[in-house]
Amino acid sequence: MTPNTPFLSQYGPWALVSGAAMGLGAEFARQLAAHGLNLVLVDVQAEALNATSAAISTQSGVETRPVVSDLATPAGLSAVIEAASTLEIGLLVNNAGVSAIGHFLDVSLEKHLKILELNARAPLSLAHTFGAKMRERQRGGIIFVSSGSAMVGTSYVSAYSATKAFNLNLGEALSEELHPYGVDVLSTVVGATDTPGWRAENPNPEAKTWPPVMSAADTVRETLGALGKTPSFFPGAQNRLAMFATSRLMSRPAAVRVIGAEMRKRYQKEK
Ligand SMILES: NC(=O)c1ccc[n+]([C@@H]2O[C@H](COP(=O)([O-])OP(=O)(O)OC[C@H]3O[C@@H](n4cnc5c(N)ncnc54)[C@H](OP(=O)(O)O)[C@@H]3O)[C@@H](O)[C@H]2O)c1
């Protein structure tokens, strides 16, 4: 495909999106297809992934390649790298991520290590592999999907919060290192967004909250709009206000306590 828009010439012809069967990953895939990018779509959920992949290809006419793989395992990670090895991946969206709500010691070590593998090892490995090729080509982009919980150690999702801080810092640092090579890197610090994963963790998804829950379409549209403009970005004006309050108006110990108290209430309710 001949690149014919600035977006396609910087980030085409292929994007690789992890966790693409549903939620934010599927929305990244839809919006990138609308920009004309072909897609390698990775997820552990075979049926949902194949359905998302087929629907996007039919609706947008781009080529889609579903890769069913568990990115929390070294074999799954290698399979994804192998599946994309002959394609020119111009944009990598490190989106797949999992969390576990609970007291650190009540969540199994196995689960914590899975969170670490998927949320930290996989995005780092994919960025290293595909980033090297982007540096050679002197163009491309990498998005790390972080979370508001990256901003301060968040109890009862402790390992998740730590991995999201890892993504935030890794993306910011790489934006500086890869900028001279024409590669744009962005960490998107996502707030509550209505996805299947978010609904599974929220027994009352229709409850009014502040900041309000965003749609996946808005979170992704704002994120793609920020790519190439800044090292890190917070989708949603009200999320930005909330982040400002907890990271600038409160001391760090106060933020840890206030957020910890909120999380404790939620954890105890769900227990
Ligand atoms: N939604 C929010 O409010 C929110 C807020 C802040 C940050 N985020 C971040 O945004 C990203 C996407 O979240 P989401 O809410 O869209 O999640 P989601 O609705 O749960 O969708 C994520 C997809 O990734 C898949 N996945 C899970 N483990 C995987 C693995 N080991 N290998 C490959 N695929 C795997 C999931 O499959 P399963 O169904 O089997 O898990 C699911 O299909 C995550 O990194 C999350 O931390 C989300």
Side-chain angles (χ1 to χ4, degrees):
M1 184 188 299
T2 314
N4 54 9
T5 65
F7 194 93
L8 257 181
S9 33
Q10 174 66 15
Y11 305 120
W14 286 84
L16 188 156
V17 183
S18 67
M22 57 188 86
L24 284 163
E27 187 58 31
F28 271 112
R30 282 189 283 273
Q31 294 195 21
L32 292 173
H35 280 287
L37 269 72
N38 298 315
L39 300 164
V40 177
L41 302 175
V42 181
D43 206 287
V44 78
Q45 295 286 346
E47 203 178 318
L49 179 67
N50 289 330
T52 299
S53 173
I56 290 175
S57 162
T58 306
Q59 279 154 22
S60 64
V62 303
E63 200 178 327
T64 58
R65 294 201 189 170
V67 180
V68 178
S69 186
D70 181 352
L71 280 169
T73 64
L77 197 48
S78 300
V80 170
I81 290 169
E82 175 59 29
S85 62
T86 57
L87 302 173
E88 198 173 315
I89 303 294
L91 183 65
L92 166 65
V93 184
N94 274 319
N95 167 76
V98 284
S99 73
I101 299 177
H103 192 288
F104 176 70
L105 297 177
D106 294 339
V107 172
S108 70
L109 179 58
E110 192 188 3
K111 179 71 188 175
H112 284 311
L113 292 175
K114 185 170 178 178
I115 291 172
L116 193 60
E117 292 287 319
L118 178 66
N119 297 11
R121 183 189 171 110
L124 181 142
S125 305
L126 295 175
H128 195 268
T129 301
F130 295 107
K133 294 178 182 171
M134 290 176 198
R135 181 172 68 172
E136 270 170 31
R137 294 194 290 265
Q138 301 267 303
R139 64 185 186 86
I142 304 174
I143 296 173
F144 290 88
V145 177
S146 179
S147 143
S149 69
M151 301 304 291
V152 64
T154 305
S155 4
Y156 301 97
V157 284
S158 52
Y160 173 78
S161 159
T163 60
K164 290 300 173 179
F166 177 90
N167 277 266
L168 172 58
N169 285 3
L170 182 61
E172 284 183 337
L174 294 188
S175 78
E176 189 58 24
E177 289 188 32
L178 291 178
H179 178 71
Y181 301 100
V183 179
D184 300 328
V185 184
L186 174 74
S187 294
T188 181
V189 187
V190 171
T193 303
D194 193 349
T195 65
W198 177 82
R199 281 185 177 251
E201 286 187 353
N202 283 275
N204 189 6
E206 311 311 329
K208 289 263 172 285
T209 57
W210 193 88
V213 178
M214 289 181 66
S215 68
D218 285 346
T219 296
V220 168
R221 189 177 34 74
E222 290 193 26
T223 294
L224 292 179
L227 182 59
K229 298 188 179 122
T230 176
S232 51
F233 176 73
F234 299 74
Q238 298 190 63
N239 285 330
R240 289 193 282 279
L241 196 60
M243 296 298 169
F244 179 79
T246 47
S247 61
R248 300 279 170 80
L249 301 182
M250 270 183 213
S251 69
R252 203 159 168 103
V256 169
R257 272 197 309 275
V258 167
I259 292 169
E262 274 306 307
M263 290 301 290
R264 184 175 297 110
K265 262 193 265 166
R266 182 176 154 192
Y267 167 60
Q268 279 164 353
K269 220 184 290 169
E270 283 175 21
K271 220 175 152 191

